[in-house]
Amino acid sequence: MTKPETALVTGASAGIGRATAIALAERGMKLVLVARREDRLAALEKSLQGKAECLTVSVDITDPASLEGAIRGLPDGFADIDVLVNNAGLALGLGNAQNADWNDWSTMIETNCSAAAHLIQLLLPGMVARARGHVINVGSVAGSYPYPGGNIYAASKAFIEALTLNLKADLFGTAVRVTNIEPGMVGGDSEFSLVRNKGNAESAAKTRQGLATLEPEDIADCVTWALDRPGRVNINRIELMPTAQAPGRMAYDRKS
Ligand code: 8X3
């Protein structure tokens, strides 16, 4: 599949999702824009008028019945999804596992793992039947490099990486491609740091202070690059981080 037609992007209202939607619109694709915040989706749809046919779907993807209803209810012209960009995800908190809040952990598991897997389960059969499709998951460098406070967030991204590579194995013999994009710290209009810091704008700003982070558009570039490879090429994983970021050193708790 070299020229897919219809893409569904989750978490489309801001950051990586929004930048990806804009990049795909510029590429002439039809878009199903999924997020919870209806007003943000409407604003994005308006900004894409004349560039792309859009359908906005405001749904809580962590509610399995609502998600299934939304996907099964997609109207003609938008129902056959060629490209799934599984972008919606979040980190909550930066504390150690021994101090974690279960609600934070379960929200991350439901959003980053369950909802992403559910979307794949709902959309993959159609892609295989039509012999065209590309699942693009948004993972994280956190899925490969542990760091203090990463705990469930990092594990959820390791799940996404493992899921992507296992899909690759299952999709052998079909035309459907699958890619995991694994960014490091992203700035721009990404709300990642604000959400991770539980809405504390000061802490969120400190996390990024003085850092030339990745921009959401850098990840959107990876999405379009993976899509634009010839059909014979499957990009399994793309890992990228700011030049100003690196994985941590080993820690040693010396007692003497
Ligand atoms: C988040 C990447 O490096 O900010 O997905 O933890 S990092």
Side-chain angles (χ1 to χ4, degrees):
M1 188 192 64
T2 50
K3 286 277 171 211
E5 291 297 323
T6 307
L8 184 147
V9 182
T10 65
S13 58
I16 296 172
R18 186 170 182 281
T20 299
I22 293 168
L24 297 180
E26 278 162 7
R27 209 170 162 275
M29 296 183 75
K30 273 202 265 188
L31 297 174
V32 179
L33 305 171
V34 179
R36 264 179 309 188
R37 292 173 295 187
E38 221 166 338
D39 52 334
R40 296 278 196 108
L41 283 178
L44 177 59
E45 183 184 27
K46 198 168 169 208
S47 75
L48 295 177
Q49 258 169 20
K51 283 191 184 155
E53 264 186 82
C54 290
L55 178 76
T56 61
V57 178
S58 164
V59 65
D60 175 2
I61 61 169
T62 65
D63 180 55
S66 303
L67 181 60
E68 188 162 347
I71 297 297
R72 301 224 185 278
L74 288 174
D76 282 352
F78 287 97
D80 292 344
I81 302 297
D82 300 307
V83 175
L84 164 63
V85 183
N86 239 336
N87 161 68
L90 78 172
L92 286 170
L94 265 164
N96 287 336
Q98 53 271 37
N99 302 313
D101 176 323
W102 175 248
N103 288 328
D104 286 349
W105 279 20
S106 94
T107 301
M108 287 186 270
I109 294 166
E110 280 172 18
T111 312
N112 303 1
C113 303
S114 302
H118 195 184
L119 272 158
I120 291 167
Q121 184 269 335
L122 288 166
L123 296 174
L124 206 52
M127 291 184 187
V128 172
R130 291 187 296 277
R132 51 186 287 129
H134 198 148
V135 175
I136 299 186
N137 292 322
V138 178
S140 167
V141 295
S144 301
Y145 307 107
Y147 56 82
N151 49 69
I152 286 291
Y153 171 70
S156 74
K157 294 302 186 177
F159 170 94
I160 287 296
E161 181 187 333
L163 178 59
T164 307
L165 297 177
N166 278 278
L167 288 176
K168 180 75 185 89
D170 282 2
L171 291 166
F172 175 71
T174 78
V176 179
R177 301 189 293 177
V178 59
T179 302
N180 198 38
I181 299 178
E182 303 164 17
M185 191 180 283
V186 179
D189 76 329
S190 163
E191 293 167 346
F192 182 85
S193 289
L194 188 64
V195 172
R196 185 168 228 179
N197 286 280
K198 308 276 182 78
N200 184 328
E202 205 180 322
S203 306
K206 264 193 200 145
T207 314
R208 295 176 177 183
Q209 199 174 6
L211 272 182
T213 61
L214 299 174
E215 294 294 319
E217 290 73 17
D218 297 327
I219 290 74
D221 277 350
C222 295
V223 172
T224 54
W225 183 79
L227 280 176
D228 284 341
R229 293 313 88 210
R232 65 178 182 277
V233 178
N234 188 93
I235 303 298
N236 295 353
R237 301 172 58 217
I238 302 175
E239 181 184 307
L240 67 161
M241 58 172 59
T243 308
Q245 182 180 9
R249 295 184 187 164
M250 286 291 181
Y252 302 92
D253 182 14
R254 299 186 199 280
K255 298 298 182 201
S256 60

